[in-house]
């Protein structure tokens, strides 16, 4: 196992589940332990984006997410129901590497900015902030309203790292996955995890 402490992966109902799937793929392939919690809205997004049903049972969810990531062995994956506010990741005494919420909806951003914890995902994120651990949010929304920007600013001031789902092009992407993987790599960089094969910037050509 790459680390004794697990990384929490939060998945909300924002469009762009491919970001979560690719994150999980690289983390499991790199033998990390992942504690995954998906919000209730994720069930609807799976239907809308891929026309598939995510099972409600946590054990079945683990198989489901591994199938979507195409990594049936390697790493460790534990899935938690959104309503299980008594899960391990709801407590600050449970040591983690931090948490990445990818993709992160503006509804989740608003609740976190207000200190509300209506489900396990929000509680786990709130715990990272209060414990001074890494909390990385990958918002997938455009355009941002002034309310969105103010909520994101509040979270940044509280210690969260905001990594918008905005890819670059200097690595010469050829596929949608190349664009997605750039964002995933930059999000994982914030928790000091380097497991995405990414062509990083080496400086411009000298003339």
């Amino acid at each position: 196992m790459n680390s004794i402490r697990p990384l929490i992966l939060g998945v909300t109902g924002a469009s762009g589940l491919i970001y979560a799937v690719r994150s999980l793929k690289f983390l499991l392939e790199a033998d990390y332990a992942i504690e995954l919690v998906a919000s209730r809205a994720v069930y609807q997004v799976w239907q809308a984006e891929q026309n598939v049903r995510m099972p409600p049972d946590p054990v079945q969810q683990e198989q489901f997410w591994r199938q979507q990531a195409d990594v049936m062995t390697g790493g460790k994956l534990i899935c938690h129901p959104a309503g299980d506010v008594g899960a391990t990741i709801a407590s600050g005494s449970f040591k983690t590497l931090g948490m990445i919420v990818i993709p992160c909806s503006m509804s989740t951003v608003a609740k976190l900015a207000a200190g509300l914890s209506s489900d396990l995902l929000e509680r786990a994120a709130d715990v990272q902030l209060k414990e001074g651990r890494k909390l990385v949010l990958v918002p997938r929304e455009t355009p941002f309203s002034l309310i969105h920007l103010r909520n994101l600013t509040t979270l940044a001031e509280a210690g969260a790292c905001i990594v918008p789902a905005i890819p670059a092009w200097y690595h010469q992407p050829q596929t949608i996955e190349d664009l997605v993987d750039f964002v995933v790599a930059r999000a994982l960089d914030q928790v000091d995890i380097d497991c995405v094969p990414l062509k990083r910037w080496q400086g411009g050509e000298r003339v």
Side-chain angles (χ1 to χ4, degrees), residues 130-178:
K130 81 180 183 70
E131 297 293 329
R133 297 176 191 154
K134 293 282 188 177
L135 174 63
V136 182
L137 307 178
V138 183
R140 211 296 317 150
E141 184 63 89
T142 191
F144 288 135
S145 73
L146 182 57
I147 293 173
H148 298 155
L149 293 169
R150 284 176 173 163
N151 286 335
L152 288 168
T153 299
T154 296
L155 288 169
E157 290 172 341
C161 181
I162 312 300
V163 182
I166 302 173
W169 269 260
Y170 59 74
H171 62 303
Q172 300 176 341
Q174 303 298 309
T175 65
I176 290 175
E177 285 77 12
D178 289 342

Side-chain angles (χ1 to χ4, degrees), residues 55 105 118:
S105 69
S118 60

Side-chain angles (χ1 to χ4, degrees), residues 16-70:
L17 285 174
I18 188 173
Y19 288 106
V21 171
R22 297 294 287 182
S23 299
L24 188 60
K25 171 183 174 62
F26 292 120
L27 288 164
L28 290 176
E29 287 179 342
D31 207 29
Y32 278 91
I34 306 300
E35 306 270 341
L36 188 149
V37 55
S39 71
R40 295 177 180 87
V42 172
Y43 293 88
Q44 295 175 311
V45 180
W46 270 117
Q47 282 285 128
E49 292 188 348
Q50 300 293 330
N51 197 27
V52 296
R53 296 174 65 97
M54 184 175 74
D57 178 73
V59 176
Q60 293 179 344
Q61 268 192 32
E62 291 167 22
Q63 289 298 107
F64 172 83
W65 281 102
R66 281 188 177 275
Q67 288 170 355
Q68 298 303 318
D70 195 24

Side-chain angles (χ1 to χ4, degrees), residues 173-204:
Q174 303 298 309
T175 65
I176 290 175
E177 285 77 12
D178 289 342
L179 294 170
V180 169
D181 292 352
F182 178 89
V183 174
V184 170
R186 298 300 289 123
L188 291 175
D189 280 349
Q190 309 313 307
V191 289
D192 296 322
I193 294 177
D194 184 3
C195 62
V196 180
L198 177 70
K199 181 181 178 182
R200 295 181 180 271
W201 180 247
Q202 299 296 321

